[in-house]
Structure formats: C-alpha cells, structure tokens
Amino acid sequence: MTDLAIETRGLGLRLGRGFALADVALSVPAGAIYGFLGPNGSGKTTTIRTLLGLYPGFSGSASVLGMPVPTRLPEILARTGYVPERPHLYRRLTVAESLEFHAAFHPRWDPAWVAELAAHFGLRSGAEIGRLSKGETAKLMLLQALGQKPELLVLDEPTDGLDPVVRRDVLAALLAYVEQSKATVFISSHLVHELERICDWVGVMDQGRLVVQVRMEEFKHGIKRIRVAAGTRLPAGAGVTVIATETVAGADEWVVRDWTADSAAALARAGVTARDVIDLDLEEAFVELLRSFRQTVGRAA
C-alpha cells in the first residue's frame, strides 16, 4: 500500500485557449483530510475531473490509491466515493429508489448503515429528488458516496451555498466516517475557514497551478506580518520568504512565509529586528499567498 492516496507529477491539461493546468504536483497522504483551496476558476474541479478519468488527454503522470490514471480507472473508481460540484441525481426518482440504484454498482454497500445515516440526515425515503431542498440534495449526494464504503472520498465544493446547520451536519458525518474507516478525503472549497477545522493538509490552487502544499498547522502559523525598520532588506539565509511588503507609519511591514519559532532569532543574528510579529487569520494568509503568486506570475509574463 502506497503512503500517498493521490500523487501527480507535472500534471498538465489545456482546455481550449482560455485555461490550462500547468505542472501540478500533488502529494496527498493516505488517511489524511486534504483541503484543496482556491478561488472559483482556479483549476480545482479540472484537477479532480482529471484524476477521475474525465479528462484523459493530460500530460505528466497521476496515480490514485497507488494505481495509475487512466490505466486502472475501473479499480480506482470502485474504491472512490465522489461528490461532484453539481448534483447528478435523477430528479424523478425517490430517495429510496436513488439509493437502491446506486447500491447496485457497489458490492460493499451496507443497506442497514445507509438507512441509519439517511434517518440521521432527515431524508424521507419516499421523497422525490426533484422536490428536495438544496441541503437535502447535498446530504443525499454525500450519503451515496459514503454508502459504497470508499477508501478515498473526493468532494468538490460539497457545502457550497448551504446554510450553517446543513454544513455542520455534512462535515460531522464526514468526520465520523473518516474516524471509523481511516479513509482519505480530498475536499475542494473556496471557504477557507470551513476547512481549517477539519483538514490535516492544504493545497492552494490559482490560475491552474499549485501555489503551495503544506500541513494545515504550517499554513495557519507559518505566515506572519512583521514590522521592521524602513528600508530594511531581507538578508540571505534568513530562513523566511517575504511575499508582500508596504511602508506604514515610518516602518516597513513584511508578510513572510516559512515562519518558525526560531525565525525572530535568526533574523536578529542577521541584523534584522522584528519589532512586531503579527498572526494572520487563515483567510488573510490565503489572500496574501494568492497576491504574491499573482505578482510573481505577472512579472514573469
């Protein structure tokens, strides 16, 4: 068994003239909850569809659950639960009929457990899918993915547009399944704070590229805003990277990444005094990363 549930190297794909994935290198540890963050249109859904064989003409390599894409797609899909960005349910079926239809394709389906979870979600077996609310539809989609007892769950914006109560129900069910099964979860979202509570790892996409891929703790604590004397230059070997800078009230403010408990001392040894070290919330860190990336891309263009 591989240590990586998903791995890509040099993954590239061009869709028309308007968008392309470029050199995406994902490493999703087996058993992790991996948050795939990025603004709308950044390439998250395209990457997911490529991994699941929906866009076969890609360059580079991709493997899922230790098996190459697309060579072993039937085996991959048999062990993967998928909730797409848009519902793909037959609106004329009832909840019970939809679950029965879905179960026919999955030998590991557990009818008793699915019925229990459906009751917990408040899904009425005789309700017609076309008459379900958006929240009920989201719960049914997740239930169908969970019911096949997958080793990997791939969820594309599963809580987008849902009210806070439904989002909490969906995420609670997801966490309960992971705790029970030790499955890997690959969940895309543009809701930064939502993923902060559940994810072990995070990857950030923008403009078809992977901007950063780190443990969530490093993402939360490794990006800081620090104040230094005006005109200060970052010395070589300081161990941090300045990703944004501005002058405020006679001092320079740097946004830095790769910050650790030793960074202030390392800067001091290099002759730079950090007057203040200010924590950023997760959304601020996310925005600063994207801003830095876009400036870098703009200079290279």
Side-chain angles (χ1 to χ4, degrees):
M1 180 69 180
T2 179
D3 291 334
L4 295 176
I6 296 173
E7 183 177 22
T8 67
R9 292 289 176 266
L11 184 68
L13 178 71
R14 178 165 293 280
L15 297 176
R17 289 185 288 182
F19 180 79
L21 296 179
D23 196 27
V24 177
L26 287 170
S27 297
V28 179
I33 302 179
Y34 187 107
F36 199 39
L37 282 168
N40 292 329
S42 62
K44 304 187 303 297
T45 295
T46 301
T47 301
I48 286 172
R49 290 176 177 173
T50 303
L51 291 172
L52 297 180
L54 298 176
Y55 293 143
F58 62 86
S59 58
S61 65
S63 67
V64 176
L65 297 173
M67 296 175 283
V69 179
T71 313
R72 297 179 65 183
L73 266 176
E75 295 163 88
I76 291 169
L77 296 179
R79 294 159 58 185
T80 301
Y82 174 43
V83 175
E85 184 180 24
R86 295 184 177 86
H88 65 299
L89 302 168
Y90 296 101
R91 295 175 55 84
R92 294 294 181 89
L93 295 181
T94 66
V95 168
E97 289 168 342
S98 183
L99 291 172
E100 183 179 0
F101 175 79
H102 204 72
F105 296 93
H106 300 286
R108 297 176 63 186
W109 190 269
D110 184 343
W113 180 69
V114 169
E116 180 183 330
L117 191 54
H120 175 72
F121 277 166
L123 291 171
R124 295 169 290 112
S125 61
E128 190 173 295
I129 289 173
R131 297 181 179 274
L132 296 180
S133 68
K134 188 169 185 177
E136 290 171 327
T137 301
K139 289 178 179 180
L140 179 57
M141 296 277 286
L142 180 62
L143 179 56
Q144 292 191 163
L146 291 175
Q148 64 196 66
K149 294 293 185 76
E151 297 172 41
L152 170 66
L153 271 166
V154 178
L155 312 176
D156 193 0
E157 301 275 3
T159 62
D160 188 30
L162 303 183
D163 68 60
V165 174
V166 175
R167 285 207 304 269
R168 181 169 295 186
D169 286 346
V170 167
L171 293 176
L174 177 63
L175 291 173
Y177 178 73
V178 169
E179 183 177 356
Q180 166 201 340
S181 67
K182 310 305 178 188
T184 305
V185 178
F186 188 73
I187 177 170
S188 84
S189 182
H190 62 276
L191 303 174
V192 180
H193 290 296
E194 181 174 271
L195 297 190
E196 178 181 4
R197 298 186 293 110
I198 66 170
C199 291
D200 311 305
W201 283 79
V202 62
V204 177
M205 287 287 289
D206 193 40
Q207 300 180 22
R209 295 178 180 270
L210 188 64
V211 177
V212 69
Q213 176 175 242
V214 293
R215 289 186 180 276
M216 178 59 85
E217 283 302 306
E218 184 179 342
F219 188 62
K220 287 166 65 174
H221 303 299
I223 301 176
K224 305 287 187 185
R225 178 176 283 111
I226 66 173
R227 290 195 177 99
V228 298
T232 300
R233 294 183 176 275
L234 181 71
V240 298
T241 302
V242 176
I243 62 175
T245 182
E246 65 177 315
T247 301
V248 179
D252 285 350
E253 284 193 356
W254 294 349
V255 176
V256 300
R257 56 178 291 191
D258 307 317
W259 187 268
T260 69
D262 300 324
S263 293
L267 286 171
R269 288 193 296 270
V272 176
T273 300
R275 297 177 183 174
D276 296 290
V277 179
I278 304 165
D279 293 331
L280 301 183
D281 68 30
L282 206 65
E283 188 163 319
E284 287 179 304
F286 174 68
V287 168
E288 292 294 354
L289 274 174
L290 292 185
R291 181 178 295 152
S292 170
F293 172 74
R294 291 172 182 180
Q295 288 173 347
T296 302
V297 170
R299 287 194 295 269

Coordinates of all heavy atoms in Angstrom, one line a residue, residues 3 43 72 80 144 161 164 179 183-184 253 282:
D3 N 2.1 5.2 0.5 CA 1.8 6.2 1.5 C 1.0 7.3 1.0 O 0.6 8.2 1.8 CB 3.2 6.7 2.1 CG 3.9 5.6 2.9 OD1 3.2 4.7 3.4 OD2 5.1 5.7 2.9
G43 N -8.9 26.0 -11.0 CA -8.4 24.7 -11.5 C -8.7 23.5 -10.6 O -8.3 22.4 -10.9
R72 N -5.8 2.1 -14.8 CA -6.6 1.3 -13.9 C -7.8 2.0 -13.3 O -8.1 1.8 -12.1 CB -5.6 0.8 -12.8 CG -4.5 -0.1 -13.3 CD -3.5 -0.6 -12.3 NE -4.2 -1.4 -11.3 CZ -3.6 -1.9 -10.2 NH1 -2.3 -1.7 -10.0 NH2 -4.2 -2.7 -9.4
T80 N -13.5 4.6 -4.8 CA -13.5 6.0 -4.6 C -15.0 6.5 -4.6 O -15.8 6.2 -5.5 CB -12.8 6.8 -5.7 OG1 -11.4 6.3 -5.7 CG2 -12.8 8.3 -5.5
Q144 N -24.7 8.8 -0.8 CA -24.4 7.9 -1.8 C -22.9 7.6 -1.9 O -22.5 6.5 -2.2 CB -25.0 8.3 -3.2 CG -26.5 8.4 -3.2 CD -27.2 8.6 -4.5 OE1 -28.3 8.3 -4.7 NE2 -26.4 9.1 -5.5
G161 N -23.0 27.0 -0.8 CA -24.3 27.5 -0.8 C -25.3 26.9 0.3 O -26.5 27.3 0.3
P164 N -25.5 27.1 7.5 CA -24.6 26.7 8.5 C -25.0 25.3 9.2 O -24.1 24.5 9.5 CB -24.5 27.8 9.5 CG -24.9 29.0 8.7 CD -25.9 28.6 7.8
E179 N -13.1 8.8 10.9 CA -12.7 8.2 12.2 C -12.9 6.7 12.2 O -12.1 5.9 12.7 CB -13.4 8.9 13.3 CG -12.9 8.4 14.7 CD -13.6 9.1 15.8 OE1 -14.4 10.0 15.6 OE2 -13.4 8.7 17.0
A183 N -10.4 6.4 6.1 CA -10.3 6.8 4.6 C -9.6 8.1 4.4 O -9.4 8.9 5.4 CB -11.8 6.9 4.1
T184 N -9.2 8.3 3.2 CA -8.6 9.6 2.8 C -9.7 10.5 2.2 O -10.6 10.0 1.5 CB -7.5 9.4 1.7 OG1 -6.6 8.4 2.2 CG2 -6.8 10.7 1.3
E253 N 6.3 46.9 6.7 CA 5.6 45.7 7.1 C 5.9 44.7 6.1 O 5.6 44.9 4.9 CB 4.1 46.0 7.3 CG 3.8 46.8 8.5 CD 2.3 46.8 8.8 OE1 1.5 46.2 8.0 OE2 1.9 47.3 9.9
L282 N -6.6 32.7 8.9 CA -6.3 31.8 7.7 C -6.7 32.5 6.4 O -6.1 32.3 5.4 CB -7.1 30.5 7.9 CG -6.6 29.3 7.2 CD1 -5.2 29.0 7.7 CD2 -7.5 28.1 7.3

